[in-house]
Amino acid sequence: MASSLTVPQAIQELKIAQARGHRDSNEIVRKGLFVLEQKNGLKMLGEDVWDFLEQMAVAALDIGQLELADDCIQRLAEQFPKSPRVEVLQGQRIEAKDLDMAIKYYETLLDADETNVAAWKRLISVLRQQNKMDRCISELTEFLDTFYSDLEGWLELADIYASVNLYTRSLQALSHALLLAPQNPFHTLHFAETAYTANDIPLAIRYFLRTTELCGDDSRGVARRAWFGVRLCTKHLTLHPDSPSESATKPMSTSSLNALGELATERLLAAYSSTSEKAVVPGRKEVLKLLGGSGTSR
């Protein structure tokens, strides 16, 4: 730890990492140990000491510093006996030792309180780690029947279905995610790419286009991938106008496909030809060649 770092600075950086959901566990443990090693370090945290110990416990478990995790969890358990959050931390500690034992532990917690969301999610996570996919899907489906608005749960279910090549079911799960977060272009792009993988090209192109609408004038990142998806779809549908659609999405006219193909090519050429992006866009030359553009900037 740099000697120039002060305890207040370390505490502030840890708070920022926690607020933003950053999971750089090595860095969290380094800064946390720095605070712990200083005289009155914990006292300087005030009422934030418990959040600090929880953050440290999770990070220590991530990188295998089990003694440090045990110390943090023990302090929390002494302060908050029977706390559901602490009980789940204790479960994560058991996971580091024995996954089967962790499953039994989470089942015990859920027998005592069937609304224990954190324990239910950890149970689902462990089942997936052990590749017990049937029960994992069953538990997650039941969880979502109870807590419909859990966006992360629907995304997890979509990912699980996709991992076993059940793309239609993955799309069904993603459709719920879109209902919960209709303005999020990442989820719309995810839906479009899954539809493309499922070979429902008419459905995919409509959601690629929806993604470009949500991104506005942004020509980078998500929008670029969406326009590339539009380009692939228009090419496919032009060559195979009778492509089947399991979702029964109506096909576009040839004139619409041609216009969209030209627009997608134009947007991609503009994005990949931008002088300001030359150094940061991976595969720039290859994409320009594929699109029929030159490797030089305009």
Side-chain angles (χ1 to χ4, degrees):
M1 182 65 61
S3 58
S4 60
L5 184 67
T6 65
V7 173
Q9 287 174 334
I11 291 173
Q12 182 62 24
E13 290 176 13
L14 287 169
K15 286 182 180 179
I16 292 173
Q18 189 172 43
R20 295 179 178 176
H22 292 172
R23 193 83 177 250
D24 187 344
S25 298
N26 284 298
E27 190 67 14
I28 288 170
V29 167
R30 280 197 295 269
K31 291 176 181 176
L33 285 174
F34 173 74
V35 173
L36 289 171
E37 291 166 358
Q38 305 306 307
K39 184 178 181 180
N40 297 323
L42 284 179
K43 289 184 179 180
M44 294 181 68
L45 284 157
E47 288 299 317
D48 292 328
V49 64
W50 310 115
D51 289 335
F52 166 83
L53 289 172
E54 183 177 13
Q55 182 184 23
M56 281 286 288
V58 173
L61 287 170
D62 278 347
I63 63 175
Q65 290 208 20
L66 301 184
E67 289 185 5
L68 174 59
D70 287 338
D71 179 57
C72 293
I73 293 171
Q74 182 179 349
R75 295 189 193 204
L76 288 164
E78 290 172 353
Q79 180 66 23
F80 306 105
K82 301 298 181 181
S83 163
R85 287 173 65 172
V86 176
E87 287 177 338
V88 169
L89 278 176
Q90 292 169 328
Q92 289 178 267
R93 175 63 179 89
I94 296 172
E95 289 179 39
K97 180 181 180 181
D98 187 324
L99 291 178
D100 287 324
M101 188 183 299
I103 288 176
K104 293 178 181 178
Y105 174 79
Y106 291 131
E107 288 173 340
T108 301
L109 292 183
L110 289 168
D111 285 340
D113 179 9
E114 61 183 12
T115 64
N116 189 329
V117 173
W120 210 344
K121 285 187 172 183
R122 290 311 309 168
L123 172 62
I124 292 165
S125 174
V126 175
L127 289 170
R128 188 172 186 184
Q129 289 179 60
Q130 290 198 306
N131 203 33
K132 296 179 178 180
M133 302 308 292
D134 288 342
R135 187 180 171 194
C136 178
I137 291 172
S138 176
E139 289 286 349
L140 184 49
T141 301
E142 185 179 351
F143 173 84
L144 291 168
D145 284 341
T146 307
F147 302 102
Y148 176 82
S149 61
D150 192 292
L151 177 61
E152 289 183 358
W154 288 111
L155 295 174
E156 176 79 1
L157 183 60
D159 186 59
I160 290 172
Y161 280 135
S163 71
V164 293
N165 300 324
L166 295 174
Y167 296 110
T168 299
R169 292 189 179 182
S170 182
L171 286 171
Q172 291 170 351
L174 286 172
S175 68
H176 292 282
L178 294 184
L179 286 173
L180 293 169
Q183 300 302 315
N184 189 311
F186 292 96
H187 302 330
T188 309
L189 177 65
H190 188 180
F191 187 96
E193 291 178 337
T194 303
Y196 188 89
T197 304
N199 204 36
D200 192 336
I201 310 303
L203 179 64
I205 190 172
R206 293 185 184 279
Y207 277 87
F208 279 127
L209 287 169
R210 175 58 179 156
T211 304
T212 65
E213 292 176 2
L214 292 174
C215 292
D217 294 330
D218 180 19
S219 62
R220 299 169 295 174
V222 174
R224 186 189 297 129
R225 284 178 61 175
W227 280 117
F228 204 89
V230 172
R231 182 69 179 84
L232 290 174
C233 289
T234 55
K235 184 176 181 180
H236 179 97
L237 292 171
T238 299
L239 294 174
H240 309 283
D242 296 324
S243 292
S245 173
E246 188 172 339
S247 62
T249 302
K250 292 182 180 180
M252 294 183 176
S253 66
T254 302
S255 59
S256 295
L257 289 173
N258 290 337
L260 285 172
E262 292 177 4
L263 178 59
T265 300
E266 178 185 318
R267 293 295 177 88
L268 288 166
L269 284 172
Y272 281 92
S273 297
S274 172
T275 304
S276 62
E277 294 189 8
K278 280 184 182 179
V280 298
V281 180
R284 176 176 175 273
K285 290 183 179 179
E286 290 78 4
V287 172
L288 289 174
K289 183 178 180 180
L290 178 66
L291 294 172
S294 65
T296 59
S297 61
R298 292 183 175 182

